Each structure stands twice: as structure tokens, then as C-alpha cells.
Amino acid sequence: MNHPAELGKDDVPGGTGASGASAPSAVPEETRRQGEKARAALTALRAEVAKTVVGQDSVVTGLVIALLCRGHVLLEGVPGTAKTLLVKTLSRALDLDFKRVQFTPDLMPGDVTGSLVYDTRTAEFEFREGPVFTNLLLADEINRTPPKTQASLLEAMEERQVSVEGSARALPDPFVVCATQNPIEYEGTYPLPEAQLDRFLVKLTVPVPTRDEEIAMLQRHASGFDPRDLSVVKPVAGASDLAAGRAAVKAIHLDPKVAAYVVDLCRATRQSPSLQLGVSPRGATALLATSRAWAWLSGRDYVTPDDVKALARPTLRHRVQLRPEAELEGATADGVLEGILAHVPAPR
């Protein structure tokens, strides 16, 4: 699998030597075999998604990493960059149940999680499941709904269950929330609080396609391509492949020096003069998880410092908060993280 641009062009993993490679841990043969089969299937996803979405390979890889880690994704990009189409196509290529909720100012928590409805035939209340009961939930423009409705997703995202009238109802497995937000239009929006942002495993930036990619996209439309017709997309992987992949990722070897490097990076964000909020311990565990998943997707059974560098920005950018004076000077979260990656020594 080629290294995606979003995950850091300059931090290409895969080498040894200076990358701090260490002896891999013993992996059961069956786990290894199932893992290799799952990796081949998940690698094929990029080609399948490319049938409808042009030039978003790195975002697809980020979504696959989130699925392997059972984490949630925040997609940020200007309107018209195929965020919704991307998630819909991915769910079809993975043969997962998919539901979409358009978040609006009048959306109520029960519209997301479900509610009790009185049944006149039985004279009893019965629970009617909301769209959260799915494998892949697209929360479109999540920052356009009030905090009360945003918070209704917190239990589902963290505990993978919904509680109604004191009764907990488990969500399907896998369950991943892909939330989108528009980075340029803030009027009438409710910014996600830090506590909720921290629940997202990664924040992926969906870029505007390059000139060549946009030309290819127009040629597809001129040839009759219909983004509402996804019949061209075939399932190439499934929930069993994700389960096998998760088992293989858990077997990825982690050298203590690499674990210390993850901690040092996160601690450096807490001491940065440009940040008023650094990465929490939950962020450190998230960076470890995404680094192990990327190492496995890259065909290795150990984590290198380059894996950590590659996933640092998408995993940590939404977990830090700039100081107002730093923002006035034009600083960005990615820029601050870039500086930290350059200054914190990596193990050799």
C-alpha cells in the first residue's frame, strides 16, 4: 500500500535502520494467515472506492485505519469534495450497513438515538431504533446541531450503546461515526467542545482535487457517471476482514523506545508555548493505536517512529488548542505539530 499524502509524505514508513525496528513478537500462524488475507482485501478498497471518488486515497486509508481501531472519524473539507459520496462508497465496498443523518438546528437527540413510541395495538411503549443503530453512521455537518443533540452521540461513540429510560441497548459491531464539518462557514454553527472532539480517533482533511484529478472527474461525468448510482462498486471486504485485521493489529510488536517516543510527543504538546491545550493521555493511546494499524497495513509486524510521525497530525490535530495570540500570528495546529515532530528526537 503506497503511503498516503494526508498521513505525511515526508515520513514514509517501511525502512529499518534509523527507524528503530526491533524484533517482532511471535504471532500465531492462523492469526498471521487471516491477517494477510484481510490486509489484501482492505488494500483493494482503495481501487474500489476510486471507481466513484477521484484522488482521495489518503482519506480512504485514514478511514480504514479508524475501522481497524474501532475509532470515529471527523472529516473536514469545503462543500463539494465528495465527503458524503466517499463514506457511502466505502460502506458499499465493505458491505456494511450505512445510514446518514443531516444534522440541523432542530434535530433532537431522539432523532439520532431512537425513542419510545406508544403502540396503540398493544397499549405499550416500544423502542424504535434511531439511525445510530448501524455499522457506519454519517453525521453530516455535525456542527450545525445544538450541543444537546451533539452530546447524544457521546455515549454511542464511547460505550457503543444507547441508554433509553435506564435500559442500555448495544450497537452493532463494527460501529463507526464519520462526522463531517465545513471549515469555512461558521454562521449558525455550534463548534464541537474539546471533550467531544477527543472522542474522534482521527481528523482527516478532505482536500480539493488536483487539476489532473478534477479533469478526470469531469471526464467521468461527461461519460455518464451518476454519483447516486453505486452499482459499479462491489463488496471487496467485510466485517470478518475487519475483525481479522483488528486481531492482527493487536499482535503488532511495540518497542518500549517507540512507546516512549509517543509519550514524549504528546507531553511536548502540553509544554508548547503556542498551545493552551495539549494532547491528553487518551490522545497518546489513540496515536499508538493508529500507528500500529498503519504498520500492519504497510506489511510490517512492528511499529517504527516513522509510523508514529505519519499518523501524528491526523490523530492529534483536533486534540490541541492554539493560544489566541498564536492564532493571530497565523499559527495552525498542523504547523505546531510539525515543529514538535522536528524537535522531539526519535529513537534509533
Side-chain angles (χ1 to χ4, degrees):
M1 176 177 284
N2 294 329
H3 191 83
E6 163 64 20
L7 305 184
K9 260 186 180 176
D10 300 327
D11 301 314
V12 181
T16 54
S19 298
S22 51
S25 58
V27 180
E29 183 58 34
E30 181 63 17
T31 299
R32 186 189 297 275
R33 188 180 65 81
Q34 293 292 338
E36 289 175 355
K37 178 183 175 184
R39 182 165 54 231
L42 294 174
T43 300
L45 274 177
R46 291 172 67 175
E48 202 64 26
V49 173
K51 291 180 178 179
T52 62
V53 181
V54 179
Q56 300 293 1
D57 285 354
S58 62
V59 182
V60 173
T61 301
L63 287 166
V64 172
I65 287 174
L67 285 163
L68 286 170
C69 299
R70 301 180 75 212
H72 308 289
V73 181
L74 184 60
L75 294 172
E76 187 172 87
V78 297
T81 49
K83 296 186 294 295
T84 301
L85 178 61
L86 177 63
V87 179
K88 288 175 64 177
T89 304
L90 182 69
S91 67
R92 184 173 178 86
L94 279 169
D95 199 21
L96 297 178
D97 188 26
F98 167 81
K99 290 180 183 175
R100 175 181 179 269
V101 179
Q102 182 66 48
F103 279 68
T104 57
D106 60 348
L107 195 72
M108 299 298 291
D111 297 330
V112 178
T113 61
S115 56
L116 294 175
V117 178
Y118 184 73
D119 188 340
T120 56
R121 294 171 299 177
T122 61
E124 294 180 351
F125 285 94
E126 65 176 21
F127 179 70
R128 183 170 296 173
E129 294 182 349
V132 75
F133 286 85
T134 187
N135 296 130
L136 201 55
L137 175 68
L138 177 60
D140 227 345
E141 295 189 286
I142 191 173
N143 58 334
R144 292 204 172 278
T145 201
K148 183 177 182 180
T149 305
Q150 291 177 3
S152 68
L153 273 178
L154 283 180
E155 181 188 13
M157 292 170 66
E158 191 68 19
E159 306 296 334
R160 287 176 167 72
Q161 67 178 27
V162 168
S163 295
V164 178
E165 296 294 326
S167 177
R169 292 172 170 83
L171 295 174
D173 184 31
F175 169 71
V176 171
V177 174
C178 292
T180 70
Q181 64 179 14
N182 183 344
I184 61 173
E185 191 178 356
Y186 292 107
E187 185 176 353
T189 63
Y190 305 84
L192 295 174
E194 285 71 27
Q196 188 164 348
L197 282 171
D198 207 33
R199 260 51 174 207
F200 288 97
L201 180 72
V202 291
K203 178 182 178 182
L204 303 176
T205 301
V206 183
V208 175
T210 64
R211 181 176 182 272
D212 289 342
E213 290 168 348
E214 200 162 358
I215 290 173
M217 180 187 68
L218 292 183
Q219 288 174 337
R220 286 189 182 186
H221 281 266
S223 301
F225 171 70
D226 183 0
R228 290 173 291 274
D229 181 12
L230 298 181
S231 59
V232 67
V233 180
K234 306 301 180 185
V236 295
S240 60
D241 294 304
L242 289 174
R246 286 198 295 267
V249 168
K250 287 180 181 178
I252 294 295
H253 176 71
L254 177 70
D255 190 279
K257 292 181 180 179
V258 177
Y261 180 54
V262 171
V263 171
D264 289 343
L265 287 174
C266 294
R267 291 181 67 85
T269 65
R270 302 168 203 161
Q271 299 164 3
S272 171
S274 299
L275 301 175
Q276 63 180 3
L277 178 68
V279 176
S280 68
R282 180 191 284 128
T285 61
L287 181 54
L288 171 60
T290 56
S291 299
R292 294 177 83 185
W294 173 240
W296 177 75
L297 281 173
S298 300
R300 281 176 283 102
D301 51 10
Y302 57 90
V303 182
T304 71
D306 286 337
D307 297 327
V308 177
K309 291 179 182 179
L311 273 299
R313 286 177 290 277
T315 308
L316 304 181
R317 60 166 60 113
H318 57 296
R319 303 175 192 272
V320 299
Q321 191 176 74
L322 292 167
R323 293 187 184 277
E325 56 269 29
E327 283 192 273
L328 290 174
E329 294 172 359
T332 63
D334 277 14
V336 173
L337 291 172
E338 194 72 43
I340 290 172
L341 287 169
H343 286 91
V344 175
R348 294 183 177 275

